[in-house]
Amino acid sequence: MFGLFSIDIGIDLGTANTLVYVKNRGIVIREPSVAAIDAYTRKVRSVGTEAKNMLGRTPGGMIAIRPLKDGVISDFEVTEQMLRRYIRKVSGNFNLAGPRVLIAIPSGITPVERRAVEDSAYNAGARTVILMPEPFVAAVGVGLPVDEPAANMIVDIGGGTTEIAVISLSGIVLKRSIRVGGDEMDEAIINHLKQAYTLHIGPRTAEEIKIRIGSAFALDQELKMEVRGQDSVAGLPKMITVSSQEIREALMPTLREIGDMIRKALEMCPPELSSDLVDRGFFMAGGGALLRGIDSYLSRTTGLPVLLAEDPLSAVANGTAVLLRDPEKLLLYRMMTESIY
């Protein structure tokens, strides 16, 4: 009876961004996973883009934080309040029953972390909570034929984690997850500018540098960008010019770590499935897939074709849409993937 009066929601609860899909309405929320909270009461005042704009700029009584780190909840109370705001926003204040919520979570999550996500969703007003491994949902979202008896490989580079999965016959044959992603790239840029130029910048500026001139492979025409920050020695405002080449060198240790994990996953892949990947290659999803030249870099590292999802940032949210539209497949996939935890 409750199902007749509730809605179905799919949530990509990412370290960097949260996307919310509502059945028959599409992706209705696409916001940074940031919350601005009262420093004394810890009550959430704003979330998403508005809160992100406050990072590093809040007055004494307000704090802007990211309640998720490395793909999992680091601040349970704030995450719960953030989810409650999003769920109420899409379901309305007068719904007769809480929504059924499908949440994509990292495949390397611990049972305790898994429980924290589940509890947060229930406390935020969900009637039913379904958890699915993020790389599987992303594979469905990019349109991979996960039901076929052949290898379908997905690499999802998010803000806090990089997820790799080889999928066949509706189940995950092989999975790997490391807590390395876009945040580590930002941190590498911050450290490089501090060491090379004694310039101190924040995560927002580092992310802007990564988006505007960051690359994983040599560009036909290298880019330059003016960067403003604080001189870490003199303590005064300072401006420098950086090139895409030096930013690429700063990002290389993180990129090598991702490349090495993919190679190790391929080494452990069953021979029959490995042979499929020679021609099929693998798909990339997540915000990290938007870094210039990362497909060329990983193709050279692995020797396989690399394909970018049409909309890497929405791959997981689109996957929740496909699953919520087909309850029978959702049940099957849930049973087939439950054992990986």
Side-chain angles (χ1 to χ4, degrees):
M1 182 182 68
F2 285 121
L4 296 174
F5 300 101
S6 71
I7 61 174
D8 290 343
I9 298 174
I11 300 179
D12 174 11
L13 188 62
T15 305
N17 297 287
T18 297
L19 280 73
V20 180
Y21 163 83
V22 177
K23 188 175 179 181
N24 299 324
R25 288 168 55 189
I27 297 174
V28 295
I29 291 177
R30 191 190 298 263
E31 298 275 1
S33 299
V34 181
I37 65 172
D38 187 293
Y40 306 105
T41 65
R42 289 189 58 79
K43 184 176 180 179
V44 172
R45 298 301 183 186
S46 65
V47 296
T49 303
E50 182 182 353
K52 185 178 181 179
N53 291 335
M54 298 180 185
L55 280 173
R57 299 173 175 172
T58 55
M62 191 83 71
I63 306 172
I65 65 169
R66 295 173 63 180
L68 293 105
K69 182 176 176 58
D70 298 334
V72 295
I73 294 174
S74 59
D75 191 315
F76 179 87
E77 182 182 355
V78 174
T79 300
E80 181 184 313
Q81 291 186 61
M82 186 173 72
L83 281 175
R84 182 179 290 111
R85 284 193 173 218
Y86 287 146
I87 290 174
R88 283 182 177 175
K89 184 176 181 178
V90 300
S91 61
N93 294 322
F94 303 103
N95 56 309
L96 298 179
R100 182 176 65 154
V101 179
L102 169 61
I103 304 178
I105 56 176
S107 60
I109 200 171
T110 67
V112 173
E113 292 164 342
R114 176 185 167 95
R115 184 69 180 180
V117 175
E118 199 170 26
D119 288 347
S120 289
Y122 276 122
N123 292 337
R127 172 177 57 88
T128 304
V129 178
I130 302 169
L131 304 182
M132 292 282 290
E134 189 174 292
F136 187 92
V137 179
V140 173
V142 302
L144 288 177
V146 296
D147 298 325
E148 294 182 1
N152 297 282
M153 184 170 172
I154 185 85
V155 176
D156 184 359
I157 305 177
T161 60
T162 295
E163 304 272 331
I164 299 171
V166 178
I167 301 164
S168 179
L169 292 170
S170 306
I172 296 179
V173 178
L174 177 70
K175 70 176 179 71
R176 286 290 178 272
S177 177
I178 56 171
R179 298 192 175 187
V180 172
D183 286 352
E184 280 64 30
M185 296 182 193
D186 296 344
E187 191 64 32
I189 293 172
I190 291 172
N191 292 335
H192 169 71
L193 297 186
K194 188 174 184 180
Q195 293 170 8
Y197 301 99
T198 66
L199 183 74
H200 181 64
I201 62 171
R204 287 187 64 214
T205 303
E207 184 182 28
E208 184 182 356
I209 294 170
K210 178 182 67 179
I211 292 170
R212 287 181 59 183
I213 66 171
S215 66
F217 208 72
L219 303 176
D220 294 335
Q221 183 175 358
E222 297 295 344
L223 306 171
K224 291 187 177 181
M225 176 181 172
E226 290 184 347
V227 179
R228 294 171 174 82
Q230 182 185 50
D231 190 311
S232 58
V233 177
L236 300 173
K238 181 178 178 179
M239 184 183 76
I240 63 168
T241 300
V242 294
S243 68
S244 54
Q245 183 177 355
E246 63 179 300
I247 296 301
R248 182 166 60 251
E249 292 171 359
L251 295 176
M252 204 47 65
T254 303
L255 295 170
R256 287 197 193 100
E257 194 170 352
I258 293 172
D260 289 344
M261 184 182 70
I262 296 174
R263 288 175 62 90
K264 289 177 182 177
L266 291 170
E267 290 170 4
M268 300 184 68
C269 190
E272 292 297 329
L273 294 179
S274 284
S275 63
D276 294 336
L277 295 174
V278 173
D279 296 322
R280 285 173 173 251
F282 60 86
F283 264 84
M284 290 189 64
L290 297 174
L291 183 69
R292 292 177 185 83
I294 194 168
D295 52 340
S296 299
Y297 172 78
L298 292 178
S299 180
R300 187 181 67 175
T301 300
T302 62
L304 296 177
V306 178
L307 303 170
L308 294 181
E310 185 176 341
D311 184 359
L313 285 170
S314 303
V316 174
N318 288 336
T320 66
V322 174
L323 295 173
L324 287 172
R325 285 196 297 261
D326 193 335
E328 291 185 4
K329 279 195 173 182
L330 174 59
L331 179 60
L332 170 64
Y333 293 157
R334 188 182 182 187
M335 291 172 57
M336 295 295 291
T337 59
E338 190 72 24
S339 61
I340 73 167
Y341 296 109

